[in-house]
Amino acid sequence: MQQKQTDENVRAALNLGHEHGVLVSAEGVGEAAQGEPKVLVTMGSDSDLPLMMKAVDILRYEFGIPCLVQINSVHRDLRAAVQHIENLPASIQVVIACAGGAAHLPGNIADLRADLPVIGVPRDLGALKGIDALLSMVQMPEGAPVAVMAIGDAGAVNAGIHAAKEVAIGDPAIRERLQVYAEKRKGKVRRQNETLEEKIKG
Ligand code: RP5
């Protein structure tokens, strides 16, 4: 009961209605989530969500960083997107923005929020294999930078890791988790070498 009250207080303080996003942490989603969101994970459509969950999941499970997840379409409802981005909770330190096609969302956010780093994840919509979104994001004119990741799954995961690195600048606990994550990756190479002779023998 007390936890529920605390969660409600957090949501009230963050001013989160459904329209303003869903809080996600390692503990759960929405009312089950805990902590203040440090990263906004936003996208142009919920069709981008399966891709963006790769960023959300690495943030919450690998690094313990709560996120706010929000749909913002600068093609379908520009005014609502501006309203959301201008009124983010003060705890947000980094924005991850995904879109496909003529992907204007990350660049628009970089202009709206001079105070926040923006990481762009280009999505492959099929016709141009994501090159359209990649070029739309990476070719930002001078003054409103977007840190653009790779197209697709690797880009989404790397966006989560890059956002964690930004949060880690002011949080030694996250720095440690980044080191643990790096050690796990080294372990993978060690294990592959251990089984290499057997694999070559076939
Ligand atoms: C973009 O258009 C979205 O970010 C999405 O990648 C793409 C297609 O959206 P839906 O038609 O699937 O809603 O704005």
Side-chain angles (χ1 to χ4, degrees), residues 43-45 47-48 73 75-76 98-101 123 125:
M43 64 213 84
S45 166
S47 68
D48 302 323
S73 173
H75 300 296
R76 292 176 176 144
C98 171
R123 179 180 160 210
L125 286 187

